[in-house]
mmCIF file of all heavy atoms in Angstrom:
data_model
loop_
_atom_site.group_PDB
_atom_site.id
_atom_site.type_symbol
_atom_site.label_atom_id
_atom_site.label_comp_id
_atom_site.label_asym_id
_atom_site.label_seq_id
_atom_site.Cartn_x
_atom_site.Cartn_y
_atom_site.Cartn_z
ATOM 1 N N THR A 1 7.275 7.403 15.767
ATOM 2 C CA THR A 1 8.452 7.089 14.959
ATOM 3 C C THR A 1 9.377 6.084 15.633
ATOM 4 O O THR A 1 10.236 5.503 14.981
ATOM 5 C CB THR A 1 9.266 8.356 14.651
ATOM 6 O OG1 THR A 1 9.663 8.964 15.888
ATOM 7 C CG2 THR A 1 8.452 9.353 13.839
ATOM 8 N N SER A 2 9.209 5.885 16.937
ATOM 9 C CA SER A 2 10.138 4.993 17.625
ATOM 10 C C SER A 2 9.525 4.397 18.885
ATOM 11 O O SER A 2 8.925 5.103 19.693
ATOM 12 C CB SER A 2 11.413 5.763 17.999
ATOM 13 O OG SER A 2 12.319 4.939 18.694
ATOM 14 N N ILE A 3 9.688 3.079 19.016
ATOM 15 C CA ILE A 3 9.356 2.372 20.255
ATOM 16 C C ILE A 3 10.667 1.797 20.776
ATOM 17 O O ILE A 3 11.301 0.983 20.100
ATOM 18 C CB ILE A 3 8.331 1.248 20.019
ATOM 19 C CG1 ILE A 3 7.028 1.817 19.437
ATOM 20 C CG2 ILE A 3 8.041 0.500 21.315
ATOM 21 C CD1 ILE A 3 6.052 0.760 18.972
ATOM 22 N N THR A 4 11.099 2.266 21.943
ATOM 23 C CA THR A 4 12.381 1.836 22.495
ATOM 24 C C THR A 4 12.151 0.895 23.672
ATOM 25 O O THR A 4 11.471 1.259 24.637
ATOM 26 C CB THR A 4 13.212 3.046 22.966
ATOM 27 O OG1 THR A 4 13.401 3.936 21.859
ATOM 28 C CG2 THR A 4 14.563 2.600 23.495
ATOM 29 N N ILE A 5 12.717 -0.306 23.581
ATOM 30 C CA ILE A 5 12.581 -1.315 24.634
ATOM 31 C C ILE A 5 13.924 -1.454 25.352
ATOM 32 O O ILE A 5 14.971 -1.597 24.717
ATOM 33 C CB ILE A 5 12.176 -2.683 24.056
ATOM 34 C CG1 ILE A 5 10.943 -2.557 23.129
ATOM 35 C CG2 ILE A 5 11.919 -3.687 25.174
ATOM 36 C CD1 ILE A 5 9.680 -2.200 23.825
ATOM 37 N N ASP A 6 13.906 -1.408 26.666
ATOM 38 C CA ASP A 6 15.119 -1.615 27.452
ATOM 39 C C ASP A 6 15.765 -2.942 27.047
ATOM 40 O O ASP A 6 15.089 -3.971 26.936
ATOM 41 C CB ASP A 6 14.771 -1.624 28.943
ATOM 42 C CG ASP A 6 16.001 -1.604 29.827
ATOM 43 O OD1 ASP A 6 16.760 -2.601 29.785
ATOM 44 O OD2 ASP A 6 16.188 -0.617 30.558
ATOM 45 N N ALA A 7 17.078 -2.916 26.812
ATOM 46 C CA ALA A 7 17.791 -4.110 26.335
ATOM 47 C C ALA A 7 17.688 -5.279 27.305
ATOM 48 O O ALA A 7 17.824 -6.440 26.907
ATOM 49 C CB ALA A 7 19.252 -3.768 26.092
ATOM 50 N N GLY A 8 17.442 -4.994 28.578
ATOM 51 C CA GLY A 8 17.330 -6.051 29.561
ATOM 52 C C GLY A 8 15.965 -6.697 29.639
ATOM 53 O O GLY A 8 15.774 -7.664 30.388
ATOM 54 N N ASN A 9 14.988 -6.208 28.856
ATOM 55 C CA ASN A 9 13.646 -6.774 28.880
ATOM 56 C C ASN A 9 13.688 -8.210 28.352
ATOM 57 O O ASN A 9 14.241 -8.464 27.271
ATOM 58 C CB ASN A 9 12.698 -5.920 28.040
ATOM 59 C CG ASN A 9 11.248 -6.283 28.254
ATOM 60 O OD1 ASN A 9 10.824 -7.396 27.959
ATOM 61 N ND2 ASN A 9 10.472 -5.347 28.753
ATOM 62 N N SER A 10 13.099 -9.133 29.099
ATOM 63 C CA SER A 10 13.189 -10.552 28.739
ATOM 64 C C SER A 10 12.096 -11.007 27.780
ATOM 65 O O SER A 10 12.110 -12.161 27.328
ATOM 66 C CB SER A 10 13.142 -11.417 30.009
ATOM 67 O OG SER A 10 11.939 -11.177 30.715
ATOM 68 N N ASN A 11 11.134 -10.122 27.453
ATOM 69 C CA ASN A 11 10.011 -10.507 26.594
ATOM 70 C C ASN A 11 9.956 -9.759 25.262
ATOM 71 O O ASN A 11 9.442 -10.283 24.280
ATOM 72 C CB ASN A 11 8.686 -10.263 27.331
ATOM 73 C CG ASN A 11 8.514 -11.168 28.522
ATOM 74 O OD1 ASN A 11 8.067 -12.299 28.389
ATOM 75 N ND2 ASN A 11 8.887 -10.678 29.699
ATOM 76 N N TYR A 12 10.489 -8.551 25.238
ATOM 77 C CA TYR A 12 10.366 -7.708 24.051
ATOM 78 C C TYR A 12 11.708 -7.087 23.682
ATOM 79 O O TYR A 12 12.635 -7.026 24.491
ATOM 80 C CB TYR A 12 9.344 -6.595 24.292
ATOM 81 C CG TYR A 12 7.970 -7.110 24.672
ATOM 82 C CD1 TYR A 12 7.517 -7.027 25.985
ATOM 83 C CD2 TYR A 12 7.135 -7.693 23.724
ATOM 84 C CE1 TYR A 12 6.258 -7.505 26.343
ATOM 85 C CE2 TYR A 12 5.882 -8.178 24.063
ATOM 86 C CZ TYR A 12 5.452 -8.080 25.378
ATOM 87 O OH TYR A 12 4.224 -8.561 25.715
ATOM 88 N N SER A 13 11.788 -6.610 22.427
ATOM 89 C CA SER A 13 12.995 -5.939 21.951
ATOM 90 C C SER A 13 12.611 -4.926 20.883
ATOM 91 O O SER A 13 11.477 -4.929 20.373
ATOM 92 C CB SER A 13 13.985 -6.959 21.375
ATOM 93 O OG SER A 13 13.427 -7.613 20.241
ATOM 94 N N SER A 14 13.545 -4.056 20.554
ATOM 95 C CA SER A 14 13.314 -3.095 19.472
ATOM 96 C C SER A 14 14.567 -2.962 18.637
ATOM 97 O O SER A 14 15.692 -3.047 19.154
ATOM 98 C CB SER A 14 12.891 -1.733 20.027
ATOM 99 O OG SER A 14 13.891 -1.187 20.867
ATOM 100 N N VAL A 15 14.387 -2.785 17.341
ATOM 101 C CA VAL A 15 15.486 -2.580 16.406
ATOM 102 C C VAL A 15 15.133 -1.378 15.539
ATOM 103 O O VAL A 15 14.113 -1.405 14.829
ATOM 104 C CB VAL A 15 15.728 -3.823 15.515
ATOM 105 C CG1 VAL A 15 16.866 -3.557 14.529
ATOM 106 C CG2 VAL A 15 16.023 -5.048 16.356
ATOM 107 N N ASP A 16 15.952 -0.339 15.615
ATOM 108 C CA ASP A 16 15.703 0.890 14.854
ATOM 109 C C ASP A 16 14.290 1.423 15.088
ATOM 110 O O ASP A 16 13.630 1.903 14.163
ATOM 111 C CB ASP A 16 15.942 0.660 13.357
ATOM 112 C CG ASP A 16 17.378 0.251 13.053
ATOM 113 O OD1 ASP A 16 18.281 0.715 13.776
ATOM 114 O OD2 ASP A 16 17.585 -0.541 12.123
ATOM 115 N N GLY A 17 13.830 1.287 16.334
ATOM 116 C CA GLY A 17 12.519 1.821 16.704
ATOM 117 C C GLY A 17 11.359 0.914 16.401
ATOM 118 O O GLY A 17 10.211 1.227 16.731
ATOM 119 N N VAL A 18 11.610 -0.255 15.773
ATOM 120 C CA VAL A 18 10.549 -1.217 15.440
ATOM 121 C C VAL A 18 10.446 -2.228 16.584
ATOM 122 O O VAL A 18 11.456 -2.683 17.133
ATOM 123 C CB VAL A 18 10.842 -1.927 14.109
ATOM 124 C CG1 VAL A 18 9.721 -2.916 13.759
ATOM 125 C CG2 VAL A 18 11.008 -0.895 12.986
ATOM 126 N N PHE A 19 9.238 -2.599 16.924
ATOM 127 C CA PHE A 19 8.926 -3.379 18.125
ATOM 128 C C PHE A 19 8.750 -4.854 17.787
ATOM 129 O O PHE A 19 7.947 -5.213 16.916
ATOM 130 C CB PHE A 19 7.651 -2.779 18.721
ATOM 131 C CG PHE A 19 7.109 -3.431 19.952
ATOM 132 C CD1 PHE A 19 7.933 -4.024 20.884
ATOM 133 C CD2 PHE A 19 5.740 -3.404 20.213
ATOM 134 C CE1 PHE A 19 7.422 -4.606 22.036
ATOM 135 C CE2 PHE A 19 5.208 -3.966 21.352
ATOM 136 C CZ PHE A 19 6.058 -4.575 22.265
ATOM 137 N N PHE A 20 9.517 -5.719 18.486
ATOM 138 C CA PHE A 20 9.492 -7.167 18.267
ATOM 139 C C PHE A 20 9.337 -7.892 19.611
ATOM 140 O O PHE A 20 9.513 -7.288 20.670
ATOM 141 C CB PHE A 20 10.809 -7.658 17.642
ATOM 142 C CG PHE A 20 11.151 -7.077 16.309
ATOM 143 C CD1 PHE A 20 11.832 -5.869 16.213
ATOM 144 C CD2 PHE A 20 10.803 -7.732 15.140
ATOM 145 C CE1 PHE A 20 12.169 -5.333 14.976
ATOM 146 C CE2 PHE A 20 11.129 -7.202 13.894
ATOM 147 C CZ PHE A 20 11.816 -6.000 13.818
ATOM 148 N N ASN A 21 9.055 -9.204 19.540
ATOM 149 C CA ASN A 21 9.240 -10.019 20.742
ATOM 150 C C ASN A 21 10.741 -10.179 20.980
ATOM 151 O O ASN A 21 11.560 -9.705 20.180
ATOM 152 C CB ASN A 21 8.518 -11.369 20.619
ATOM 153 C CG ASN A 21 9.109 -12.256 19.525
ATOM 154 O OD1 ASN A 21 9.900 -11.822 18.687
ATOM 155 N ND2 ASN A 21 8.729 -13.517 19.525
ATOM 156 N N LYS A 22 11.132 -10.810 22.069
ATOM 157 C CA LYS A 22 12.546 -10.864 22.445
ATOM 158 C C LYS A 22 13.399 -11.537 21.382
ATOM 159 O O LYS A 22 14.502 -11.081 21.046
ATOM 160 C CB LYS A 22 12.705 -11.577 23.788
ATOM 161 C CG LYS A 22 14.136 -11.558 24.321
ATOM 162 C CD LYS A 22 14.621 -10.142 24.598
ATOM 163 C CE LYS A 22 16.003 -10.120 25.219
ATOM 164 N NZ LYS A 22 16.458 -8.729 25.499
ATOM 165 N N LEU A 23 12.919 -12.649 20.827
ATOM 166 C CA LEU A 23 13.695 -13.412 19.846
ATOM 167 C C LEU A 23 13.585 -12.836 18.439
ATOM 168 O O LEU A 23 14.202 -13.349 17.510
ATOM 169 C CB LEU A 23 13.238 -14.882 19.841
ATOM 170 C CG LEU A 23 13.458 -15.655 21.144
ATOM 171 C CD1 LEU A 23 12.889 -17.060 21.007
ATOM 172 C CD2 LEU A 23 14.933 -15.693 21.515
ATOM 173 N N GLN A 24 12.777 -11.785 18.305
ATOM 174 C CA GLN A 24 12.541 -11.119 17.013
ATOM 175 C C GLN A 24 12.000 -12.083 15.956
ATOM 176 O O GLN A 24 12.310 -11.991 14.768
ATOM 177 C CB GLN A 24 13.813 -10.427 16.534
ATOM 178 C CG GLN A 24 14.212 -9.263 17.445
ATOM 179 C CD GLN A 24 15.563 -8.677 17.162
ATOM 180 O OE1 GLN A 24 16.079 -8.804 16.058
ATOM 181 N NE2 GLN A 24 16.156 -8.046 18.158
ATOM 182 N N THR A 25 11.145 -13.021 16.439
ATOM 183 C CA THR A 25 10.422 -13.904 15.521
ATOM 184 C C THR A 25 9.032 -13.339 15.193
ATOM 185 O O THR A 25 8.422 -13.741 14.209
ATOM 186 C CB THR A 25 10.255 -15.309 16.130
ATOM 187 O OG1 THR A 25 9.600 -15.191 17.405
ATOM 188 C CG2 THR A 25 11.607 -15.978 16.309
ATOM 189 N N LEU A 26 8.564 -12.417 16.032
ATOM 190 C CA LEU A 26 7.268 -11.772 15.824
ATOM 191 C C LEU A 26 7.473 -10.264 15.698
ATOM 192 O O LEU A 26 7.999 -9.621 16.615
ATOM 193 C CB LEU A 26 6.331 -12.064 16.995
ATOM 194 C CG LEU A 26 5.009 -11.269 17.051
ATOM 195 C CD1 LEU A 26 4.119 -11.623 15.863
ATOM 196 C CD2 LEU A 26 4.270 -11.521 18.361
ATOM 197 N N LEU A 27 7.071 -9.698 14.570
ATOM 198 C CA LEU A 27 7.103 -8.247 14.403
ATOM 199 C C LEU A 27 5.779 -7.717 14.932
ATOM 200 O O LEU A 27 4.727 -7.971 14.364
ATOM 201 C CB LEU A 27 7.299 -7.861 12.932
ATOM 202 C CG LEU A 27 7.670 -6.409 12.643
ATOM 203 C CD1 LEU A 27 8.320 -6.280 11.263
ATOM 204 C CD2 LEU A 27 6.495 -5.454 12.735
ATOM 205 N N ILE A 28 5.838 -6.994 16.041
ATOM 206 C CA ILE A 28 4.621 -6.559 16.723
ATOM 207 C C ILE A 28 4.120 -5.220 16.209
ATOM 208 O O ILE A 28 2.930 -5.046 15.955
ATOM 209 C CB ILE A 28 4.868 -6.480 18.248
ATOM 210 C CG1 ILE A 28 5.256 -7.863 18.793
ATOM 211 C CG2 ILE A 28 3.630 -5.955 18.974
ATOM 212 C CD1 ILE A 28 5.726 -7.855 20.235
ATOM 213 N N GLN A 29 5.030 -4.251 16.044
ATOM 214 C CA GLN A 29 4.589 -2.915 15.618
ATOM 215 C C GLN A 29 5.697 -2.183 14.872
ATOM 216 O O GLN A 29 6.802 -2.000 15.393
ATOM 217 C CB GLN A 29 4.179 -2.072 16.825
ATOM 218 C CG GLN A 29 3.501 -0.758 16.468
ATOM 219 C CD GLN A 29 2.060 -0.976 16.035
ATOM 220 O OE1 GLN A 29 1.271 -1.520 16.789
ATOM 221 N NE2 GLN A 29 1.723 -0.530 14.832
ATOM 222 N N TYR A 30 5.371 -1.797 13.643
ATOM 223 C CA TYR A 30 6.216 -0.876 12.884
ATOM 224 C C TYR A 30 5.587 0.499 13.061
ATOM 225 O O TYR A 30 4.459 0.726 12.621
ATOM 226 C CB TYR A 30 6.238 -1.277 11.416
ATOM 227 C CG TYR A 30 7.098 -0.405 10.524
ATOM 228 C CD1 TYR A 30 8.420 -0.747 10.254
ATOM 229 C CD2 TYR A 30 6.588 0.755 9.939
ATOM 230 C CE1 TYR A 30 9.208 0.040 9.429
ATOM 231 C CE2 TYR A 30 7.375 1.545 9.121
ATOM 232 C CZ TYR A 30 8.680 1.190 8.865
ATOM 233 O OH TYR A 30 9.460 1.980 8.050
ATOM 234 N N PRO A 31 6.277 1.429 13.755
ATOM 235 C CA PRO A 31 5.651 2.726 14.048
ATOM 236 C C PRO A 31 5.191 3.456 12.787
ATOM 237 O O PRO A 31 5.953 3.605 11.826
ATOM 238 C CB PRO A 31 6.777 3.491 14.758
ATOM 239 C CG PRO A 31 7.607 2.434 15.383
ATOM 240 C CD PRO A 31 7.607 1.311 14.385
ATOM 241 N N ALA A 32 3.944 3.898 12.815
ATOM 242 C CA ALA A 32 3.318 4.481 11.624
ATOM 243 C C ALA A 32 3.954 5.784 11.187
ATOM 244 O O ALA A 32 3.806 6.192 10.031
ATOM 245 C CB ALA A 32 1.827 4.696 11.889
ATOM 246 N N GLY A 33 4.662 6.460 12.088
ATOM 247 C CA GLY A 33 5.241 7.754 11.747
ATOM 248 C C GLY A 33 6.623 7.697 11.120
ATOM 249 O O GLY A 33 7.177 8.741 10.744
ATOM 250 N N ILE A 34 7.217 6.516 10.993
ATOM 251 C CA ILE A 34 8.526 6.396 10.343
ATOM 252 C C ILE A 34 8.406 6.899 8.903
ATOM 253 O O ILE A 34 7.491 6.511 8.171
ATOM 254 C CB ILE A 34 9.032 4.941 10.379
ATOM 255 C CG1 ILE A 34 9.353 4.525 11.818
ATOM 256 C CG2 ILE A 34 10.276 4.771 9.509
ATOM 257 C CD1 ILE A 34 9.797 3.089 11.970
ATOM 258 N N LEU A 35 9.344 7.743 8.485
ATOM 259 C CA LEU A 35 9.226 8.410 7.184
ATOM 260 C C LEU A 35 9.780 7.592 6.022
ATOM 261 O O LEU A 35 9.541 7.943 4.863
ATOM 262 C CB LEU A 35 9.925 9.774 7.229
ATOM 263 C CG LEU A 35 9.329 10.793 8.207
ATOM 264 C CD1 LEU A 35 10.140 12.083 8.197
ATOM 265 C CD2 LEU A 35 7.868 11.076 7.875
ATOM 266 N N ASP A 36 10.523 6.520 6.314
ATOM 267 C CA ASP A 36 11.076 5.694 5.237
ATOM 268 C C ASP A 36 9.951 5.145 4.364
ATOM 269 O O ASP A 36 8.879 4.788 4.867
ATOM 270 C CB ASP A 36 11.874 4.523 5.814
ATOM 271 C CG ASP A 36 13.077 4.993 6.630
ATOM 272 O OD1 ASP A 36 13.488 6.151 6.455
ATOM 273 O OD2 ASP A 36 13.582 4.198 7.442
ATOM 274 N N ASN A 37 10.217 5.048 3.054
ATOM 275 C CA ASN A 37 9.172 4.536 2.153
ATOM 276 C C ASN A 37 9.337 3.063 1.805
ATOM 277 O O ASN A 37 8.559 2.512 1.030
ATOM 278 C CB ASN A 37 9.076 5.379 0.883
ATOM 279 C CG ASN A 37 10.364 5.399 0.077
ATOM 280 O OD1 ASN A 37 11.271 4.593 0.317
ATOM 281 N ND2 ASN A 37 10.467 6.319 -0.863
ATOM 282 N N SER A 38 10.364 2.429 2.381
ATOM 283 C CA SER A 38 10.529 0.989 2.167
ATOM 284 C C SER A 38 11.072 0.350 3.433
ATOM 285 O O SER A 38 11.734 1.006 4.245
ATOM 286 C CB SER A 38 11.474 0.716 0.986
ATOM 287 O OG SER A 38 12.783 1.164 1.280
#
């Protein structure tokens, strides 16, 4: 349900548990267990 990236990481980031590259131009992983339907 959540992938948490340390805010100081220079290569990756996370927003609401969703995993991105640092600049958030690439969505790497939306956790499959998130219960939201949209």
Side-chain angles (χ1 to χ4, degrees):
T1 59
S2 179
I3 300 171
T4 302
I5 309 292
D6 190 295
N9 192 297
S10 59
N11 294 276
Y12 302 105
S13 63
S14 61
V15 179
D16 299 327
V18 181
F19 179 32
F20 299 86
N21 65 347
K22 186 63 176 181
L23 297 177
Q24 294 171 23
T25 56
L26 170 65
L27 194 159
I28 299 171
Q29 189 76 58
Y30 181 94
I34 292 177
L35 297 178
D36 297 341
N37 60 13
S38 65

